[in-house]
Amino acid sequence: PYCVSNGGFTLRSGKESVVDKNFEDSITPDRYVPQFFEILKPGGTFLTTCTHHILPELINVAIESGFEFRQQLIWFRPGSPPLLSADRFQPDYENILVFVKPGPHYFGYNDIKLDDDKQRGAVIQMPQCSGQERQYNHDTQKPEALYEILIKAYCPKDGTVLDPFGGSGTTPAVCKRLQRICH
């Protein structure tokens, strides 16, 4: 949950649009992150995307819950819609926070190397969803190619991925293709 659905504005097809989903998306990290810590097995990885307004709270709550802050990745989204106000830089990226529950953890290094056999960097450049991939007018839908990288990196084949918020269904679609179990 991004905690921004009610009372805000976004752009859709080049036009200003109200962001009001008529549901409560203000589930703050202190309500769900501790539960994730309890559910995950030792060495389990908790990934979350977020924008700058919730970043410090997410990190603090995760560490207080017992997670190790492993890494911050950046999803650079070239061609992102312009900002509606002219008082800051255009937000053309999204944070991906990686936390690990203490214990031996999985990292699929060889599964995510670049085509030229080079190590992948922490900045992943990929456009936002569009065309056939875009589902249900979901404001924060992620590209399947992005989730393919993340799932290969942090979940072994036949491993289990939990996506408690569901969104547009990207996670289960990618898990099925990559032979991972998704709940």
Side-chain angles (χ1 to χ4, degrees):
Y2 284 74
C3 302
V4 294
S5 285
N6 295 315
F9 291 89
T10 189
L11 284 180
R12 281 203 187 91
S13 301
K15 297 178 183 172
E16 189 175 292
S17 177
V18 175
V19 181
D20 188 350
K21 307 286 188 208
N22 294 320
F23 66 85
E24 183 66 41
D25 94 331
S26 61
I27 303 170
T28 55
D30 62 315
R31 290 182 53 199
Y32 60 86
V33 173
Q35 292 179 45
F36 296 168
F37 186 83
E38 293 302 317
I39 292 169
L40 279 174
K41 64 182 180 181
T45 303
F46 162 45
L47 295 171
T48 185
T49 57
C50 70
T51 53
H52 73 280
H53 75 284
I54 198 167
L55 181 73
E57 182 182 3
L58 258 169
I59 293 171
N60 288 336
V61 169
I63 291 170
E64 289 170 4
S65 298
F67 283 106
E68 170 196 331
F69 181 39
R70 186 81 176 153
Q71 186 170 26
Q72 177 181 357
L73 306 174
I74 300 293
W75 170 33
F76 171 54
R77 311 173 304 207
S80 294
L83 196 61
L84 295 177
S85 61
D87 65 348
R88 65 194 78 183
F89 289 95
Q90 175 188 7
D92 58 357
Y93 73 95
E94 194 160 326
N95 302 285
I96 304 169
L97 305 178
V98 181
F99 300 96
V100 175
K101 185 169 180 175
H105 64 278
Y106 176 82
F107 187 71
Y109 177 85
N110 289 321
D111 294 332
I112 61 164
K113 286 193 293 188
L114 299 171
D115 291 336
D116 57 3
D117 208 33
K118 290 187 179 174
Q119 184 177 15
R120 182 175 292 281
V123 176
I124 302 168
Q125 180 174 331
M126 186 174 298
Q128 296 185 140
C129 295
S130 62
Q132 292 285 21
E133 188 176 10
R134 186 60 122 168
Q135 298 290 319
Y136 314 113
N137 217 11
H138 190 275
D139 292 320
T140 62
Q141 183 178 347
K142 309 301 182 285
E144 288 188 12
L146 175 66
Y147 272 34
E148 185 171 317
I149 293 167
L150 298 174
I151 291 168
K152 284 180 177 180
Y154 296 107
C155 182
K157 203 173 263 191
D158 298 320
T160 301
V161 174
L162 172 65
D163 185 355
F165 299 112
S168 59
T170 301
T171 305
V174 173
C175 282
K176 183 176 181 180
R177 190 170 59 249
L178 297 178
Q179 299 175 341
R180 271 65 169 186
I181 301 160
C182 187
H183 295 287

